[in-house]
């Protein structure tokens, strides 16, 4: 053993000598400034107001494909990949907490987690209670119906029952605009789509990416897209400016270096929206 190590050591010394000789031949280059201030990406960042060092506890409603869902026993989706990437770049592990969508904001405000990501639209009302990151996704609403439905769009909804998920922008839009319809709220979008498939309701209003995913997974059909001009944000506690800044800086990096585009194309077809393209 000892002789092998010795031989290895000799080889390394020889290689180092060669490398030094090569460097010596090169013209002097200006020395790079010391990067003492740079955060070491492998080190946990402990000034982000996190309850546990090195861990970011993230709340979500893990039942909203393709953003967050469990398949093959694994949590996956666009939001999951994005959040894991942000956390990794901050030297943090993600600990996921699954809860109901309509409980997310109050639970974040009550410090039950450090952040939330849940395909959550940034709204003024929500921003009274929590702080949102810069936008990370663009969405609209879409009306979904059964394969043999006579409903061709929102103009046909009078007297119909329309489903949506509790506490969502889809539910709020339906209540405000479909005043001649009965709005039924479900604890999750899969539950609403299930009721539509079972003919218990006539239509579902949901975010377009989730509606399109449902169309691909079943014989339900997206019959009209309603341009509500929504953007999603990651939520943090209102007083946690350090975490908000760290998330925003990292998100900007992820967009600029093309990682966002890679994650996007894992989950969605078509071009990355210009504001998220590198
Ligand atoms: N984007 C919608 C909202 O914020 C729906 C999100 C969801 O169902 N997870 O209300």
């Amino acid at each position: 053993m000892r002789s092998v190590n010795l031989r290895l050591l000799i080889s390394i010394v020889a290689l180092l000598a060669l490398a030094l000789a090569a460097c010596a031949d090169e013209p002097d280059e200006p020395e790079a400034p010391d990067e003492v201030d740079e955060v070491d990406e492998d080190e946990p960042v402990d000034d982000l107001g996190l309850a546990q060092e090195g861990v970011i506890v993230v709340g979500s409603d893990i039942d909203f494909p393709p953003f967050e869902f469990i398949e093959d026993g694994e949590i996956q989706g666009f939001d999951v990949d994005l959040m894991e990437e942000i956390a990794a770049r901050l030297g943090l592990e993600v600990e996921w907490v699954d809860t109901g969508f309509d409980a997310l904001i109050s639970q974040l405000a009550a410090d039950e987690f450090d952040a939330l990501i849940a395909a959550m639209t940034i709204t003024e009302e929500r921003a009274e209670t929590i702080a949102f990151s810069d936008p990370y996704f663009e969405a609209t609403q879409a009306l979904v119906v059964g394969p043999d439905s006579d409903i061709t769009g929102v103009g046909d909804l009078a007297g119909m029952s329309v489903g949506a998920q509790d506490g969502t922008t889809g539910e709020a839009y339906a209540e405000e605009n479909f005043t001649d319809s009965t709005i039924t709220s479900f604890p999750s979008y899969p539950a609403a789509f299930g009721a539509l498939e079972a003919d218990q309701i006539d239509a579902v209003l949901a975010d377009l990416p989730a509606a399109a995913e449902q169309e691909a997974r079943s014989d339900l059909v997206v019959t009209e897209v309603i341009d509500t001009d929504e953007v999603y944000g990651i939520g943090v506690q209102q007083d946690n400016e350090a975490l908000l800044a760290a998330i925003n800086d990292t998100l900007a990096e992820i967009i600029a270096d093309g990682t966002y585009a890679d994650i996007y194309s894992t989950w969605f077809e078509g071009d990355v929206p210009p504001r998220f393209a590198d």
Side-chain angles (χ1 to χ4, degrees), residues 14-268:
L15 276 173
L16 278 176
L18 273 176
L20 275 176
C23 287
D25 285 345
E26 276 175 19
D28 277 356
E29 275 187 29
E31 263 189 37
D34 276 350
E35 289 174 296
V36 280
D37 288 330
E38 202 165 275
V39 176
D40 180 341
E41 292 189 359
D42 294 330
E43 285 294 314
V45 185
D46 49 17
D47 54 1
L48 296 179
L50 305 171
Q52 257 182 84
E53 198 177 294
V55 176
I56 183 165
V57 182
V58 180
S60 189
D61 172 18
I62 310 177
D63 205 4
F64 196 59
F67 293 96
E68 41 269 323
F69 59 103
I70 291 175
E71 209 162 83
D72 305 326
E74 239 181 79
I75 169 167
Q76 35 185 304
F78 176 86
D79 284 354
V80 175
D81 287 353
L82 185 68
M83 197 67 224
E84 295 274 2
E85 181 68 28
I86 292 172
R89 291 188 188 206
L90 293 172
L92 303 170
E93 296 270 340
V94 180
E95 190 182 303
W96 292 96
V97 175
D98 190 11
T99 189
F101 186 81
D102 63 342
L104 278 166
I105 291 182
S106 57
Q107 288 182 349
L108 175 62
D111 210 8
E112 287 181 35
F113 19 84
D114 301 307
L116 67 80
I117 189 164
M120 185 177 279
T121 303
I122 301 172
T123 68
E124 270 176 34
E125 195 190 333
R126 290 170 177 168
E128 282 170 14
T129 314
I130 61 167
F132 281 104
S133 71
D134 293 334
Y136 73 86
F137 201 88
E138 292 173 354
T140 60
Q141 293 295 310
L143 191 68
V144 182
V145 296
D148 306 317
S149 176
D150 294 332
I151 299 171
T152 59
V154 294
D156 297 329
L157 288 180
M160 302 287 175
S161 58
V162 181
Q165 182 177 7
D166 271 330
T168 61
T169 49
E171 180 194 51
Y173 186 94
E175 278 170 356
E176 212 172 300
N177 296 281
F178 306 156
T179 44
D180 296 330
S181 312
T182 311
I183 313 303
T184 310
S185 295
F186 292 85
S188 73
Y189 267 112
F193 290 130
L196 180 57
E197 282 178 309
D199 277 334
Q200 290 158 0
I201 52 175
D202 300 306
V204 168
L205 188 69
D207 291 27
L208 175 60
E213 176 79 12
Q214 183 61 38
E215 189 177 49
R217 287 172 178 233
S218 67
D219 58 3
L220 298 179
V221 184
V222 172
T223 186
E224 187 173 347
V225 173
I226 305 160
D227 197 358
T228 47
D229 210 10
E230 296 175 52
V231 286
Y232 299 164
I234 296 168
V236 301
Q237 283 143 21
Q238 257 175 349
D239 58 358
N240 196 347
E241 281 159 27
L243 182 58
L244 187 64
I247 288 174
N248 280 337
D249 289 351
T250 312
L251 178 61
E253 259 173 48
I254 287 171
I255 293 168
D257 70 14
T259 308
Y260 182 99
D262 289 344
I263 298 175
Y264 187 92
S265 58
T266 306
W267 297 104
F268 303 101

